Amino acid sequence: MSKLNSLAISENGFIFKPSTGESFVTNEIGLFIIQLLKSGKKADEIIQEIIKDFEVDNLTAGKDLYEFLDFLKKENMTD
Amino acid sequence: MEKKKLNIAVTGLNNIDSPGPGVPVIRALKKSGMDVKIIGLAYENLEPGIYMPGLVDKSYLMPFPSTGSEAFLERLAYIHKKENLDIVIPNFDSELFLFIKFNERLKQMGISTFLPTLEQFEERHKDNLPEYARKYNITVPESKPLVNIKELENLPKPLSYPYFIKGKFYEAFKVSNLAQSQYYFNKLSAKWGLPVVVQQAIQGTEVNVIALGDGEGNTVSAVPMRKQYITDKGKAWGGITISDERLLKITHDIIKKTKWRGALELEMIKTDDGEYYLIEINPRIPAWVYLAVGAGQNLPELLCKLALGEKVDPIKEYKTGKMFIRYSWDLIGDISDFEKIIVFGEL
């Protein structure tokens, strides 16, 4: 199972990492990104989905995505 | 066929800020499918477990283990005569030696236990941890047992500040200079005797495993937990079950290599680099046992079955993300109960 799929994520944006017992809270956009990553979407596709759903420009969507990916990587939640 | 009622004696009823495992063990037994009568064995007349409503069916005061084996066995024989004990579950490190040493005598009396062998008990002592690690290929922090306070001034390298200074049976303090270490050396040696152990502090997350070995190398039960809240006495006041394959593998390996018999708790530090350091093996059920029950593994029930010679299939499943949070609660008792314990030694 991938690290991302092993996470327990609630609809409220509460993330539980079973391998360490740590928990995190993310916002609406973070939750949106995680769900898209879990469904196998690539970065470009995710950016387009963010632009569409959150009505932001390309630059903001990209910034949101890569900041969140950095966070996931830092917390060892992605492979 | 009607199930036989089991008379089970349990020690460790001191449900205080450094809690004994007795109360959660009893809660686990009452939650099991077994029909049980619980006999509480207490060393102090104010151990809360004696007075908690609906917890024990009967309580007896025991002489401290330091009183000597004769008084200890005599008291157990008296209690056995009155209660016809089937099983005893000792929960204090300081009493385990006597229970293990007189295991056969208890068996002859008709009382079953499921404890480590004397060799297993002795070789995992804090002061023997480096040798234990070499023998079983386990990573441990640098440590040294000390019998003289002067040794603190010239600890062998690579031991350096900060390190933990630990009592023979209980308690550990993190120290950063000589004055602190000398203070705690005196405190710990006066309370728990010698040696006092110095152990290098390792930076990381404290993770523990509760487990049960069948004495033939099989792990019957194992649940890992991360401490979420640690008291100033180093005790877990909150914890959460985790899914840590590596930690479980280390546990299975230790139980397999040592053929561990009985319950144990492995205290480990997981570093940011993913290394695991074993800091202590407690040869008994830990006070957070009820978390394992909540996660799906009733370890005290399994231990009782093993004590009675029943075959027990290993349980591998448990729920992750189960949490425990301790709390304190003021019980209101009556002086008449206290009087019975003081005057008659039983309630």
Side-chain angles (χ1 to χ4, degrees), chain A residues 32-77:
Chain A
F32 186 73
I33 293 169
I34 280 195
Q35 281 158 352
L36 293 174
L37 285 170
K38 284 178 81 172
S39 70
K41 298 268 191 213
K42 301 274 180 258
D44 285 351
E45 296 172 295
I46 296 172
I47 289 171
Q48 291 312 311
E49 296 271 359
I50 294 171
I51 293 169
K52 201 168 76 184
D53 266 57
F54 291 87
E55 296 176 353
V56 292
D57 60 28
N58 193 57
L59 195 67
T60 309
K63 186 170 165 284
D64 284 347
L65 173 65
Y66 288 108
E67 273 184 6
F68 193 68
L69 287 175
D70 280 349
F71 159 73
L72 291 177
K73 195 174 171 190
K74 182 174 146 272
E75 297 300 339
N76 200 20
M77 290 195 275

Side-chain angles (χ1 to χ4, degrees), chain A residues 6 8 14 16-24 76, chain B residues 205 207 226 228 240-244 270 320-322:
Chain A
S6 73
F14 184 82
F16 172 60
K17 192 176 165 193
S19 59
T20 62
E22 291 168 293
S23 51
F24 308 88
N76 200 20
Chain B
T205 306
V207 284
R226 174 197 169 142
Q228 287 184 302
I240 188 163
T241 54
I242 57 173
S243 166
D244 190 325
K270 182 183 178 185
T320 55
K322 284 286 167 190

Side-chain angles (χ1 to χ4, degrees), chain A residues 1-9 16 18 34-35 37-40 77-79:
Chain A
M1 190 191 286
S2 72
K3 284 180 183 169
L4 206 57
N5 279 321
S6 73
L7 300 174
I9 304 160
F16 172 60
I34 280 195
Q35 281 158 352
L37 285 170
K38 284 178 81 172
S39 70
M77 290 195 275
T78 49
D79 294 302

Side-chain angles (χ1 to χ4, degrees), chain B residues 63-341:
Chain B
F64 281 105
S66 54
T67 315
S69 54
E70 280 313 309
F72 175 83
L73 285 169
E74 204 176 289
R75 183 63 173 161
L76 262 184
Y78 167 81
I79 297 166
H80 183 48
K81 195 176 167 190
K82 294 192 87 171
E83 302 295 343
N84 193 21
L85 301 176
D86 294 297
I87 301 169
V88 61
I89 305 178
N91 290 305
F92 282 128
D93 291 8
S94 50
E95 67 186 0
L96 276 173
F97 177 78
L98 281 179
F99 277 101
I100 293 170
K101 190 178 173 192
F102 293 104
N103 185 36
E104 278 305 311
R105 180 91 74 94
L106 295 180
K107 207 169 177 181
Q108 284 163 13
M109 288 161 68
I111 306 172
S112 298
T113 57
F114 199 71
L115 298 168
T117 64
L118 200 54
E119 188 193 353
Q120 289 170 341
F121 176 75
E122 294 288 353
E123 74 170 356
R124 55 85 244 168
H125 269 304
K126 287 174 206 178
D127 52 330
N128 196 43
L129 207 56
E131 203 174 308
Y132 193 79
R134 272 193 295 277
K135 185 174 173 187
Y136 297 113
N137 197 22
I138 307 163
T139 308
V140 296
E142 204 65 38
S143 71
K144 184 168 171 51
L146 309 178
V147 292
N148 190 320
I149 196 166
K150 284 202 179 305
E151 292 179 86
L152 286 170
E153 292 167 27
N154 195 21
L155 288 172
K157 285 194 165 69
L159 270 171
S160 60
Y161 298 114
Y163 57 70
F164 281 96
I165 184 158
K166 297 181 156 193
K168 188 178 177 182
F169 292 117
Y170 295 105
E171 294 189 283
F173 300 95
K174 196 174 186 176
V175 296
S176 303
N177 57 53
L178 184 62
Q180 282 178 348
S181 58
Q182 285 170 332
Y183 170 77
Y184 286 117
F185 182 99
N186 285 328
K187 187 174 170 154
L188 290 166
S189 58
K191 195 165 178 185
W192 302 114
L194 292 168
V196 165
V197 177
V198 165
Q199 186 180 67
Q200 187 64 54
I202 303 289
Q203 191 73 27
T205 306
E206 195 165 331
V207 284
N208 293 1
V209 186
I210 179 174
L212 178 63
D214 68 356
E216 292 172 11
N218 303 306
T219 302
V220 171
S221 168
V223 178
M225 176 272 282
R226 174 197 169 142
K227 289 184 179 179
Q228 287 184 302
Y229 188 111
I230 302 173
T231 68
D232 57 354
K233 289 192 174 173
K235 301 292 164 190
W237 207 254
I240 188 163
T241 54
I242 57 173
S243 166
D244 190 325
E245 290 302 320
R246 177 98 191 276
L247 190 54
L248 284 173
K249 188 177 179 318
I250 293 170
T251 307
H252 285 254
D253 281 352
I254 290 175
I255 288 177
K256 190 175 178 184
K257 286 175 188 166
T258 60
K259 288 193 164 44
W260 187 268
R261 189 177 187 276
L264 85 166
E265 179 194 30
L266 299 179
E267 295 189 15
M268 319 244 342
I269 299 287
K270 182 183 178 185
T271 66
D272 291 343
D273 300 331
E275 290 293 317
Y276 290 79
Y277 286 83
L278 177 71
I279 53 172
E280 213 162 298
I281 297 181
N282 291 316
R284 52 166 172 79
I285 298 173
W288 58 274
V289 58
Y290 202 69
L291 177 65
V293 180
Q297 296 194 11
N298 194 328
L299 194 137
E301 180 184 8
L302 297 170
L303 185 141
C304 286
K305 288 182 175 173
L306 287 169
L308 296 173
E310 292 179 25
K311 185 174 160 36
V312 175
D313 290 326
I315 302 180
K316 294 193 171 143
E317 301 298 319
Y318 64 90
K319 295 186 194 91
T320 55
K322 284 286 167 190
M323 292 172 61
F324 82 91
I325 302 148
R326 290 210 174 106
Y327 63 97
S328 55
W329 182 269
D330 297 348
L331 284 177
I332 303 301
D334 193 86
I335 190 71
S336 60
D337 286 344
F338 187 59
E339 178 193 336
K340 282 176 196 153
I341 278 288

